[in-house]
Amino acid sequence: MSNTDNQGDVWEVFIQSKPGLPHKHAGSIHATDKEMALQNARDTYTRRQEGTCLWVVPLNAIVSSMPEDNDSFFDPSDDKIYRHPTHYVMPDGAKHI
Amino acid sequence: MEDIKKLEEFQAKIDAEIKIEPKDWMPEDYRKHLQRQISQHAHSEVIGMQPEGNWISRAPSLRAKVVLLAKIQDEAGHGQYLYSAAETLGKSRDEYIEELQTEKAKYSSIFNYPTLTWADMGAVGWLVDGAAIVNQVSLQRTSYGPYSRAMVRICKEESFHQRQGYEIMAHMANGTPEQKAMAQDALNRFWWPSIMMFGPHDSDSPNTGNAVKWKIKRETNDELRQKFIDKTVQQAEVIGLTIPDPDLKWNEEKGHYDFGEMDWEEFWRVVKGNGPCNKQRLNHHKKAHQDGAWVREAALAYAAKQKEKQLVA
C-alpha cells in the first residue's frame, strides 16, 4: 500500500453522554479532515443515541505522560496527606463537619 | 536481567487484575498474541458482513431489511472498534488490512460458508452471533485495556443480533412445512461450524498456555463451547427444531450436555483456505478496497487543499 492510498490519520473520539457529564474517551477513527472525523465518529460511536456532544482530537495532538515515569512524575503528591480531609483531627462530638 | 524484572512486574499486575494499557511495558509475545487475536477478530467482523449482505436486496419484508441493514452496519462498527484497539499495539490499520489481503492474517472460518436461504440469516444471528457473544462476554475481562473496552461496547450491541436471528428461526419453524424444513436445514448446516468457532480442543490448541497465564483469554475453547451448547439446546427445543447431533445428551452427573465429536479435518481444511467461500470473501474484500481508492484519494486531495487555504489565509 502506498503512502497516497491509506486510511487517513487517527483521531481519538470523546463522547459526552448527556449534559452535565464529562466527555469520555470512546476509541478512535480514521479521517482526513475535521468534518470527516466528526461524521465518522458519529457513525461509529453513536448509533444508539450514546451522546449529546462529540469531540475528535488528532492523535498526534495528544500529549501523554509515560507509565515508566509514573514514580517520579506523580511523586510530588505522595507525601501531602494534609490535602485529604481525613488528615485533620476533629473534637469529639462536633457534627456536620 | 532488566527484562526478567519487568516480566515479573508485568505478571504481578496481571495476577492483581490490573489492566495493561498501550504505553505500559509488555512482553513481545503478549503484544504479538494480541495483535494477532484482535486483528483476526476485527477482520472477522468485517468479512462477516458479506454473507449477510447477500440478503439485503432479498429480505422478505421491509422490517427484515431495515433490521438486517442495522445489523450489518453494527458489524462494520465492531470491526472499527477492534481495529482501533489493535492499532494501540503499534501497528497501523493499513498494515492489518494488508495482512488480511495477503492471507497472513486469518478471520473466523464460519464466514467461509455460504448463506443459501433466508433461514440462514436466522441461523447466522442465532448460532454464529450466539457463539460470538459467549466468547465476547468472556473477553470483556481480558487483561488488555483497549480490547476489554471494545468488548464491553460490542457486547452491549450484539444481543440484538442474536435475538433477531432467533426470531427469524422461530418464525420459520412455526410457518408452513416448507418453511420449517428450511429452518431445520439451516440449523443442520450451521450447527457444527458454529460450535467449531471456539477453535480446537484445549489439548490441541497451541496458543492457550500463555494466553490463559496472561489473562488474554479468561476461559478455554472447550469451556466456552460447552457454555454455548448448554444454552442453545433448550432454545432449539422451544421452537421445535432438532440439533443435528445424535450424541447430544444431558449428563446429569456433569450438569452439562455431552455432544458428538466435531469434524476437525473439515475445520482445518476451511482454516487453510479451502472452504466453500474463502476465495470469494477475500476477492470481494480486495475489490471493495480497490473500488474505494478514489474516495481515499479525493479525501486526501481535499484535506491538502484545505490546509493550503489555511496557510494563505
Side-chain angles (χ1 to χ4, degrees), chain B residues 64 118-123 163-173 183:
Chain B
W118 175 251
D120 287 9
M121 290 301 93
R163 289 174 65 118
Q164 68 89 30
Y166 188 53
E167 189 190 79
I168 292 172
M169 287 303 254
H171 203 71
M172 294 191 77

Side-chain angles (χ1 to χ4, degrees), chain A residues 5 28 30 32 44 47-48, chain B residues 74 84 87 93 157 296 303:
Chain A
D5 183 13
S28 67
H30 284 252
T32 50
T44 306
R47 289 193 303 284
R48 290 175 174 76
Chain B
D74 270 356
S84 166
E87 281 174 291
R93 174 95 47 127
E157 300 182 353
R296 294 189 291 277

Side-chain angles (χ1 to χ4, degrees), chain B residues 234-247:
Chain B
Q234 187 264 353
Q235 293 165 4
E237 283 167 7
V238 167
I239 56 175
L241 296 181
T242 310
I243 288 177
D245 178 359
D247 296 323

Side-chain angles (χ1 to χ4, degrees), chain A residues 7 10 19-21 24 35 37 40 52 55 66 71 75 77-78 94:
Chain A
Q7 305 289 308
V10 178
L21 293 180
K24 203 171 148 189
E35 203 185 337
N40 286 354
T52 51
W55 288 348
M66 295 302 283
D71 286 349
D75 177 67
S77 68
D78 251 12

Side-chain angles (χ1 to χ4, degrees), chain A residues 1 4-7 10 26-28 30 32-33 36 44-45 47-48 50 64-67, chain B residues 23-24 73-74 77 80-81 84 87 93-94 97-98 153 157 160 289 296 299-300 302-303:
Chain A
M1 250 166 262
T4 51
D5 183 13
N6 60 49
Q7 305 289 308
V10 178
S28 67
H30 284 252
T32 50
D33 63 72
M36 191 196 288
T44 306
Y45 292 100
R47 289 193 303 284
R48 290 175 174 76
E50 286 93 338
S64 170
S65 65
M66 295 302 283
Chain B
K23 291 191 162 62
D24 291 338
Q73 197 189 9
D74 270 356
Q80 303 299 313
Y81 304 159
S84 166
E87 281 174 291
R93 174 95 47 127
D94 295 299
I97 291 175
E98 195 173 354
R153 195 172 271 279
E157 300 182 353
F160 122 63
H289 191 74
R296 294 189 291 277
L300 282 171
Y302 177 76

